[in-house]
Amino acid sequence: MTLARRKFDTLVIGAGGGGLRAALQLAQADAKVAVVSKVFPTRSHTVAAQGGINAALANVLPDNWHWHMYDTIKGSDYLGDQDAIEYMCRAASNLVVELEHAGVPFSRLENGNIYQRPFGGQSQDFGGKQAARTCAAADRTGHAILHTLYQQNIRAKTHFFDEYFAIDLIKDEEGVILGALVMSIETGEPLLIEAKTTLLATGGAGQLFRTNTNAHINTGDGLAMALRAGIPLQDMEFFQFHPTGIAGKGMLISEAARGEGGYLTNKNGERFMERYAPNAKDLASRDVVSRAIFIEVQEGRGCGPSGDYVNLNINHLGEEVLNKRLPAICDSIRTFLRVDPAKDPVPIYPTAHYTMGGIPTNRQGQVVVPIEHGEEPIPGLYAVGECACVSVHGANRLGGNSLLDIVVFGRAAGNDIIGYLREHRYHRPINESDVEQAMAHLTRWDRKGDGISVAGLRGELQAIMEKYCGVFRTEEILQQGLEKVLEIEQRLDDVVLYDHSKIFNTARIEAFELENLVDIALATVKSALSRQESRGAHSRVDYPERDDKHWLKHSLFYKQDRRMAYKPVRLKPLTVDTFPPKERVY
Amino acid sequence: MRFLIYRYHPEKDQKPYMQAFELDGLDKNKMLRDALLLIKKQDESFTFRHSCGEGVCGSDALNINGTNGLACITPLSSLKEPVEVRPLPGMPVIRDLVVDMAQFYKHYREVKPYLVVTDPEPEVEFKQSPEERSKLDGLYECILCGCCTTACPSFWWNPEKFRGPAALLQAYRFLADSRDQAHDKRLEELDGPYRMFRCHTIMNCVNVCPKGLNPTEAIHNIKRMMMKDVV
C-alpha cells in the first residue's frame, strides 16, 4: 500500500484559538494552509474558556500595558521571560480590537465600548489598587472567540482536516521538520501531510490528573510529539490548579465569579483569603488561592460532612448580575450541583487546569532548542498556545492571559511563517526512512493478544498524578510518584487493543493519547522532583522558599535518558527596564 | 440501570441493532455521558463522540429516549428505563452513535456565518450599545451540536435544500448584529421556497435545544426583516 500524501505550505495541528488565529493570518496572506484537528474545530477546548481576555484598554479603570506587564511578571513568580511578556502586553489592546472587528460579541459598557471586569493578580500602577483588565463576552468568552476565529477561517477558505489525529512529526536527517503523519479517524487511514512549516497548537494536558477542568481531548498530543522528535519540554513542573472547580467533579467555575464580587468562605463562614492575601484577598493569583483552600481543608476548616471543600459565595450579587455576567456558570452550577447559585453557596475545590510548561519557543513561535551557547530554532517547526512555553506564564499564569497568549502568539507565529515561506519556496524531499518511525508508531497498536486495557491504565496514571504530583509536593512523594509513573511506562508495553477495526475507532485514538499522557507525566514528575524550591504553582514543602540564586532558570526535560537541563530566564524586556525579582505578596 | 443502545459497525454488521446493557450501582446524579463511558469500559468497540463534559463543545448530541439532547448534561435521574440511546435522526450513521455531520456544516458555511464590514476599520472597537448587544443574546451561544436541525421534519424532507434551524439561527445572529453591513445580501440569499421558507414552525428545534435557544423565533424575525424590506 502506498501512503496517501497531501502538500501544503503550512500544516497547523490543532484548531483551538492558537491554531485558528495562526491559520487565519496565513490564509489571509494566501499561503496554502491545512488545519488538522481531532475534533470539529468549534469543539476544541478554547470553547470552554469563560472569564475573558486581558488587555489594558482602560475602558473601566485606568490602565496601561506596562502595568499589565508588571502583573504578569509578578504572577509568573519572575520565571516568565520579560521580552515575551512585554511583547504580549503591548500587543494585547490591538489584538482584542481585532477580535472585536472580526465579530466577537463582547459584552458592552453604556458608552458602547467593550466591557471589562477585574480578575486575579491585576493591579494599577505596579501593585496598587485592583485593575479591571479582562474583556469579556459574558462568561462565554472562549466560545465567542473560538467561533469567531473559525467563522473568519471559513471566510478565508482555510483547508480543514476535521477529525484527523496527528501521530508524529516527520523530521529529516538534518533535523528539518517536513510535516506530520496523521490519520483520518473516520476511515482509519494514514495520511502524510507534507509542509514547509508545521505549527503545533494542540493545547494542554489536563487529562494527566483525575479531577480536572479539561476536556477529554486535552491529552497534550503535541507535547508528546515534540518529545518523541527529540525536543525537550520546558518548565513542566508548573501545572496550574484552578482554585474554583466544582468540588469532586472538576467543572470550571470562572474566576469571573470572584471578579464580579464573589468570595470564598470556610466552615466557620470566615472569608479566609483575608489571612492569606490581605490586599487582593479573593483576587490573589491562582496559585495563592489554591494553596489557601488546600490548607483550610487540611487544617479541618473545610465545609460539608467530610470537610473536603470550601464555599464560593455569589448569592449576594443579585439575579441581574448573575444572569447578565455569569449565565453559563450559573447553568453549570444548577446542572451539576443542583444548587441555586442565587440562593446557596457553591462547593468548590482546586482542580487541575492549565499546563504552564510546554514546547520551548521564542516570541515568534519558533520552537527553539539549546546549543552550546544560547539556543537555535528547529527549522520548519512552530508551537503556540498552551502546548508552547514562550514563556509568558512562568511559574503561574494569570487568569485572562491564556486567551491573550493564543491570539498574540498565534498571530506572531503566522507572521513569522509567512517570512519563512518567502525564503523557503520549495518542499524538501521526504525519504522513506524519515517516515519509518512514525509508521512504526502507528502500527504498534495492531498488536493482538491479551493484556491491560487502555482505559484501565489511563485511570491509574491519573490517580497517581493526582496523589503524587498535586498542589503540595515533597522529595519523598515525588520520588514515589516517579517510580510509579515509570512502572506505568513499562506496563504500557503490555497494553493491547481488542478493537482493531478501522472505521471511527476511538479506542485506537485513546491508545495514542495514553502513550502521549505517559510521556508528559514523566516530564512533569521528573521536572518537579528536580526543582528544589517553591515558585508559583510548584510548592515544595521541603523547600518552602523561592530560591532565585539557584533556581531562577527554566528547566528542560528530554525524553532520551530522562535528562534535565536548564536555561536562563530572559530578564531583559524589549524596551523598558527589567522588573527584578522581589518578594511576591498579594 | 438498563440501557438499549443503537449499534452499527460498518465493517461487521449488515444492519443496525439495539443492544441491551445493564449498569449496577449507578449514581443517578451522574449524567448519561458517565454511563456511556462505563459501557465503553465494558466494550471498547462502542463508539460515540464526547469531549468537554459540560455542555459547551457540542460533541455528544444524541437521541435519548426519543428526544435529542446532550449526553453530558442529561441527568440519569431524568430518564425512563430502559434508556434508549440512538444517533441523531436523519443523518447518515458512520458507526454506532457517530453520525456524518457534513451536510449540517455545509448549511452553516452557506449562511456566511461571519461578520462582514465594508467601512474602513477604526483603530478602536466598533461601538455597540448594551441594547444592541443584547440582541445577540440567545443567538451567539449556539454550540453547533445539531440537536435542533436533526429534530426538524422539514430538514428530514429537504436536507440538501433547507438550511435547517441551526444555520438559520446563525444567519439571524449576523442579521441582528448592529456592526454587520451585509444585511441585504444575507436576506437575498435566504429568499426562495426552500432555504428558509421550508420552516413550518413545528418548533421541535426549540423543544430540544440544550442551550435553551429559539431558532423558530430567529426564523420569524428574518421573515419580518424581509417583509419590512419589501414594504
Side-chain angles (χ1 to χ4, degrees), chain B residues 131-153:
Chain B
E131 292 70 37
E132 289 169 330
R133 168 60 183 76
S134 71
K135 295 199 170 120
L136 306 182
D137 286 335
L139 304 172
Y140 82 96
E141 301 94 322
C142 172
I143 58 174
L144 298 177
C145 64
C147 281
C148 59
T149 295
T150 63
C152 172

PDB file of all heavy atoms in Angstrom, chain B residues 131-153:
ATOM      1  N   GLU B 131     -27.881  47.688  24.547  1.00  0.00           N
ATOM      2  CA  GLU B 131     -29.169  47.260  23.967  1.00  0.00           C
ATOM      3  C   GLU B 131     -28.939  46.549  22.637  1.00  0.00           C
ATOM      4  O   GLU B 131     -29.539  45.514  22.358  1.00  0.00           O
ATOM      5  CB  GLU B 131     -30.104  48.465  23.742  1.00  0.00           C
ATOM      6  CG  GLU B 131     -30.607  49.133  25.017  1.00  0.00           C
ATOM      7  CD  GLU B 131     -29.507  49.886  25.768  1.00  0.00           C
ATOM      8  OE1 GLU B 131     -28.625  50.493  25.104  1.00  0.00           O
ATOM      9  OE2 GLU B 131     -29.504  49.842  27.015  1.00  0.00           O
ATOM     10  N   GLU B 132     -28.059  47.148  21.804  1.00  0.00           N
ATOM     11  CA  GLU B 132     -27.742  46.491  20.523  1.00  0.00           C
ATOM     12  C   GLU B 132     -27.097  45.125  20.769  1.00  0.00           C
ATOM     13  O   GLU B 132     -27.431  44.137  20.114  1.00  0.00           O
ATOM     14  CB  GLU B 132     -26.799  47.373  19.691  1.00  0.00           C
ATOM     15  CG  GLU B 132     -27.473  48.611  19.135  1.00  0.00           C
ATOM     16  CD  GLU B 132     -26.466  49.617  18.550  1.00  0.00           C
ATOM     17  OE1 GLU B 132     -25.310  49.677  19.043  1.00  0.00           O
ATOM     18  OE2 GLU B 132     -26.841  50.343  17.623  1.00  0.00           O
ATOM     19  N   ARG B 133     -26.190  45.086  21.724  1.00  0.00           N
ATOM     20  CA  ARG B 133     -25.507  43.830  22.034  1.00  0.00           C
ATOM     21  C   ARG B 133     -26.480  42.770  22.554  1.00  0.00           C
ATOM     22  O   ARG B 133     -26.348  41.587  22.256  1.00  0.00           O
ATOM     23  CB  ARG B 133     -24.390  44.099  23.054  1.00  0.00           C
ATOM     24  CG  ARG B 133     -23.758  42.878  23.700  1.00  0.00           C
ATOM     25  CD  ARG B 133     -23.120  41.939  22.702  1.00  0.00           C
ATOM     26  NE  ARG B 133     -22.602  40.751  23.369  1.00  0.00           N
ATOM     27  CZ  ARG B 133     -23.352  39.756  23.806  1.00  0.00           C
ATOM     28  NH1 ARG B 133     -24.665  39.784  23.638  1.00  0.00           N
ATOM     29  NH2 ARG B 133     -22.800  38.723  24.421  1.00  0.00           N
ATOM     30  N   SER B 134     -27.486  43.228  23.293  1.00  0.00           N
ATOM     31  CA  SER B 134     -28.419  42.252  23.888  1.00  0.00           C
ATOM     32  C   SER B 134     -29.225  41.525  22.800  1.00  0.00           C
ATOM     33  O   SER B 134     -29.773  40.457  23.049  1.00  0.00           O
ATOM     34  CB  SER B 134     -29.340  42.925  24.896  1.00  0.00           C
ATOM     35  OG  SER B 134     -30.258  43.755  24.214  1.00  0.00           O
ATOM     36  N   LYS B 135     -29.274  42.097  21.601  1.00  0.00           N
ATOM     37  CA  LYS B 135     -29.983  41.416  20.509  1.00  0.00           C
ATOM     38  C   LYS B 135     -29.255  40.136  20.074  1.00  0.00           C
ATOM     39  O   LYS B 135     -29.838  39.300  19.388  1.00  0.00           O
ATOM     40  CB  LYS B 135     -30.121  42.356  19.304  1.00  0.00           C
ATOM     41  CG  LYS B 135     -31.001  43.551  19.625  1.00  0.00           C
ATOM     42  CD  LYS B 135     -31.523  44.217  18.373  1.00  0.00           C
ATOM     43  CE  LYS B 135     -32.586  45.240  18.738  1.00  0.00           C
ATOM     44  NZ  LYS B 135     -32.257  46.594  18.337  1.00  0.00           N
ATOM     45  N   LEU B 136     -27.987  40.016  20.453  1.00  0.00           N
ATOM     46  CA  LEU B 136     -27.227  38.804  20.088  1.00  0.00           C
ATOM     47  C   LEU B 136     -27.403  37.697  21.130  1.00  0.00           C
ATOM     48  O   LEU B 136     -27.052  36.543  20.887  1.00  0.00           O
ATOM     49  CB  LEU B 136     -25.738  39.133  19.936  1.00  0.00           C
ATOM     50  CG  LEU B 136     -25.407  40.273  18.968  1.00  0.00           C
ATOM     51  CD1 LEU B 136     -23.900  40.460  18.873  1.00  0.00           C
ATOM     52  CD2 LEU B 136     -25.998  39.995  17.597  1.00  0.00           C
ATOM     53  N   ASP B 137     -27.940  38.064  22.299  1.00  0.00           N
ATOM     54  CA  ASP B 137     -28.170  37.040  23.322  1.00  0.00           C
ATOM     55  C   ASP B 137     -29.226  36.063  22.813  1.00  0.00           C
ATOM     56  O   ASP B 137     -30.222  36.463  22.207  1.00  0.00           O
ATOM     57  CB  ASP B 137     -28.646  37.687  24.634  1.00  0.00           C
ATOM     58  CG  ASP B 137     -27.495  38.391  25.352  1.00  0.00           C
ATOM     59  OD1 ASP B 137     -26.331  37.995  25.136  1.00  0.00           O
ATOM     60  OD2 ASP B 137     -27.766  39.340  26.117  1.00  0.00           O
ATOM     61  N   GLY B 138     -28.985  34.797  23.085  1.00  0.00           N
ATOM     62  CA  GLY B 138     -29.906  33.779  22.577  1.00  0.00           C
ATOM     63  C   GLY B 138     -29.555  33.344  21.170  1.00  0.00           C
ATOM     64  O   GLY B 138     -30.243  32.519  20.579  1.00  0.00           O
ATOM     65  N   LEU B 139     -28.491  33.934  20.595  1.00  0.00           N
ATOM     66  CA  LEU B 139     -28.073  33.589  19.236  1.00  0.00           C
ATOM     67  C   LEU B 139     -26.621  33.113  19.208  1.00  0.00           C
ATOM     68  O   LEU B 139     -26.307  32.065  18.667  1.00  0.00           O
ATOM     69  CB  LEU B 139     -28.228  34.804  18.312  1.00  0.00           C
ATOM     70  CG  LEU B 139     -29.624  35.442  18.255  1.00  0.00           C
ATOM     71  CD1 LEU B 139     -29.569  36.740  17.458  1.00  0.00           C
ATOM     72  CD2 LEU B 139     -30.625  34.486  17.630  1.00  0.00           C
ATOM     73  N   TYR B 140     -25.731  33.941  19.817  1.00  0.00           N
ATOM     74  CA  TYR B 140     -24.301  33.630  19.702  1.00  0.00           C
ATOM     75  C   TYR B 140     -23.911  32.395  20.516  1.00  0.00           C
ATOM     76  O   TYR B 140     -22.854  31.820  20.293  1.00  0.00           O
ATOM     77  CB  TYR B 140     -23.450  34.840  20.130  1.00  0.00           C
ATOM     78  CG  TYR B 140     -23.244  34.980  21.623  1.00  0.00           C
ATOM     79  CD1 TYR B 140     -22.089  34.476  22.226  1.00  0.00           C
ATOM     80  CD2 TYR B 140     -24.192  35.596  22.439  1.00  0.00           C
ATOM     81  CE1 TYR B 140     -21.892  34.587  23.585  1.00  0.00           C
ATOM     82  CE2 TYR B 140     -24.011  35.701  23.796  1.00  0.00           C
ATOM     83  CZ  TYR B 140     -22.862  35.209  24.370  1.00  0.00           C
ATOM     84  OH  TYR B 140     -22.668  35.304  25.723  1.00  0.00           O
ATOM     85  N   GLU B 141     -24.775  31.980  21.451  1.00  0.00           N
ATOM     86  CA  GLU B 141     -24.427  30.866  22.344  1.00  0.00           C
ATOM     87  C   GLU B 141     -24.502  29.500  21.673  1.00  0.00           C
ATOM     88  O   GLU B 141     -24.152  28.482  22.280  1.00  0.00           O
ATOM     89  CB  GLU B 141     -25.359  30.858  23.565  1.00  0.00           C
ATOM     90  CG  GLU B 141     -25.337  32.127  24.394  1.00  0.00           C
ATOM     91  CD  GLU B 141     -26.430  33.095  23.975  1.00  0.00           C
ATOM     92  OE1 GLU B 141     -26.702  33.210  22.763  1.00  0.00           O
ATOM     93  OE2 GLU B 141     -27.020  33.741  24.858  1.00  0.00           O
ATOM     94  N   CYS B 142     -24.979  29.441  20.432  1.00  0.00           N
ATOM     95  CA  CYS B 142     -25.145  28.151  19.741  1.00  0.00           C
ATOM     96  C   CYS B 142     -23.819  27.382  19.736  1.00  0.00           C
ATOM     97  O   CYS B 142     -22.754  27.939  19.479  1.00  0.00           O
ATOM     98  CB  CYS B 142     -25.615  28.374  18.311  1.00  0.00           C
ATOM     99  SG  CYS B 142     -25.627  26.857  17.337  1.00  0.00           S
ATOM    100  N   ILE B 143     -23.895  26.085  20.026  1.00  0.00           N
ATOM    101  CA  ILE B 143     -22.684  25.247  20.082  1.00  0.00           C
ATOM    102  C   ILE B 143     -22.596  24.285  18.898  1.00  0.00           C
ATOM    103  O   ILE B 143     -21.755  23.381  18.887  1.00  0.00           O
ATOM    104  CB  ILE B 143     -22.605  24.470  21.412  1.00  0.00           C
ATOM    105  CG1 ILE B 143     -23.855  23.595  21.607  1.00  0.00           C
ATOM    106  CG2 ILE B 143     -22.447  25.435  22.587  1.00  0.00           C
ATOM    107  CD1 ILE B 143     -23.788  22.680  22.816  1.00  0.00           C
ATOM    108  N   LEU B 144     -23.472  24.445  17.907  1.00  0.00           N
ATOM    109  CA  LEU B 144     -23.441  23.621  16.687  1.00  0.00           C
ATOM    110  C   LEU B 144     -23.509  22.124  16.984  1.00  0.00           C
ATOM    111  O   LEU B 144     -22.855  21.328  16.332  1.00  0.00           O
ATOM    112  CB  LEU B 144     -22.174  23.931  15.869  1.00  0.00           C
ATOM    113  CG  LEU B 144     -22.030  25.356  15.356  1.00  0.00           C
ATOM    114  CD1 LEU B 144     -20.694  25.526  14.629  1.00  0.00           C
ATOM    115  CD2 LEU B 144     -23.178  25.726  14.424  1.00  0.00           C
ATOM    116  N   CYS B 145     -24.317  21.759  17.973  1.00  0.00           N
ATOM    117  CA  CYS B 145     -24.417  20.338  18.328  1.00  0.00           C
ATOM    118  C   CYS B 145     -25.284  19.584  17.335  1.00  0.00           C
ATOM    119  O   CYS B 145     -25.126  18.377  17.174  1.00  0.00           O
ATOM    120  CB  CYS B 145     -24.955  20.172  19.739  1.00  0.00           C
ATOM    121  SG  CYS B 145     -26.640  20.767  19.981  1.00  0.00           S
ATOM    122  N   GLY B 146     -26.228  20.292  16.693  1.00  0.00           N
ATOM    123  CA  GLY B 146     -27.074  19.648  15.688  1.00  0.00           C
ATOM    124  C   GLY B 146     -28.374  19.073  16.230  1.00  0.00           C
ATOM    125  O   GLY B 146     -29.150  18.488  15.479  1.00  0.00           O
ATOM    126  N   CYS B 147     -28.629  19.248  17.531  1.00  0.00           N
ATOM    127  CA  CYS B 147     -29.882  18.720  18.104  1.00  0.00           C
ATOM    128  C   CYS B 147     -31.095  19.269  17.364  1.00  0.00           C
ATOM    129  O   CYS B 147     -32.023  18.532  17.038  1.00  0.00           O
ATOM    130  CB  CYS B 147     -29.990  19.095  19.585  1.00  0.00           C
ATOM    131  SG  CYS B 147     -29.007  18.061  20.671  1.00  0.00           S
ATOM    132  N   CYS B 148     -31.099  20.585  17.091  1.00  0.00           N
ATOM    133  CA  CYS B 148     -32.289  21.214  16.526  1.00  0.00           C
ATOM    134  C   CYS B 148     -32.519  20.778  15.086  1.00  0.00           C
ATOM    135  O   CYS B 148     -33.608  20.333  14.724  1.00  0.00           O
ATOM    136  CB  CYS B 148     -32.180  22.735  16.624  1.00  0.00           C
ATOM    137  SG  CYS B 148     -30.753  23.444  15.769  1.00  0.00           S
ATOM    138  N   THR B 149     -31.494  20.911  14.268  1.00  0.00           N
ATOM    139  CA  THR B 149     -31.657  20.631  12.843  1.00  0.00           C
ATOM    140  C   THR B 149     -32.083  19.187  12.604  1.00  0.00           C
ATOM    141  O   THR B 149     -32.925  18.909  11.760  1.00  0.00           O
ATOM    142  CB  THR B 149     -30.345  20.968  12.099  1.00  0.00           C
ATOM    143  OG1 THR B 149     -30.128  22.370  12.207  1.00  0.00           O
ATOM    144  CG2 THR B 149     -30.417  20.584  10.629  1.00  0.00           C
ATOM    145  N   THR B 150     -31.520  18.264  13.388  1.00  0.00           N
ATOM    146  CA  THR B 150     -31.842  16.855  13.153  1.00  0.00           C
ATOM    147  C   THR B 150     -33.150  16.454  13.823  1.00  0.00           C
ATOM    148  O   THR B 150     -33.573  15.300  13.722  1.00  0.00           O
ATOM    149  CB  THR B 150     -30.706  15.931  13.638  1.00  0.00           C
ATOM    150  OG1 THR B 150     -30.559  16.083  15.053  1.00  0.00           O
ATOM    151  CG2 THR B 150     -29.399  16.270  12.955  1.00  0.00           C
ATOM    152  N   ALA B 151     -33.796  17.399  14.514  1.00  0.00           N
ATOM    153  CA  ALA B 151     -35.122  17.116  15.073  1.00  0.00           C
ATOM    154  C   ALA B 151     -36.212  17.717  14.180  1.00  0.00           C
ATOM    155  O   ALA B 151     -37.391  17.619  14.489  1.00  0.00           O
ATOM    156  CB  ALA B 151     -35.229  17.696  16.482  1.00  0.00           C
ATOM    157  N   CYS B 152     -35.800  18.340  13.083  1.00  0.00           N
ATOM    158  CA  CYS B 152     -36.724  19.139  12.288  1.00  0.00           C
ATOM    159  C   CYS B 152     -37.255  18.340  11.088  1.00  0.00           C
ATOM    160  O   CYS B 152     -36.486  17.965  10.201  1.00  0.00           O
ATOM    161  CB  CYS B 152     -36.009  20.396  11.798  1.00  0.00           C
ATOM    162  SG  CYS B 152     -36.976  21.351  10.627  1.00  0.00           S
ATOM    163  N   PRO B 153     -38.559  18.071  11.040  1.00  0.00           N
ATOM    164  CA  PRO B 153     -39.116  17.316   9.915  1.00  0.00           C
ATOM    165  C   PRO B 153     -38.866  17.997   8.564  1.00  0.00           C
ATOM    166  O   PRO B 153     -38.651  17.304   7.566  1.00  0.00           O
ATOM    167  CB  PRO B 153     -40.617  17.282  10.231  1.00  0.00           C
ATOM    168  CG  PRO B 153     -40.690  17.452  11.711  1.00  0.00           C
ATOM    169  CD  PRO B 153     -39.560  18.359  12.061  1.00  0.00           C
TER     170      PRO B 153
END
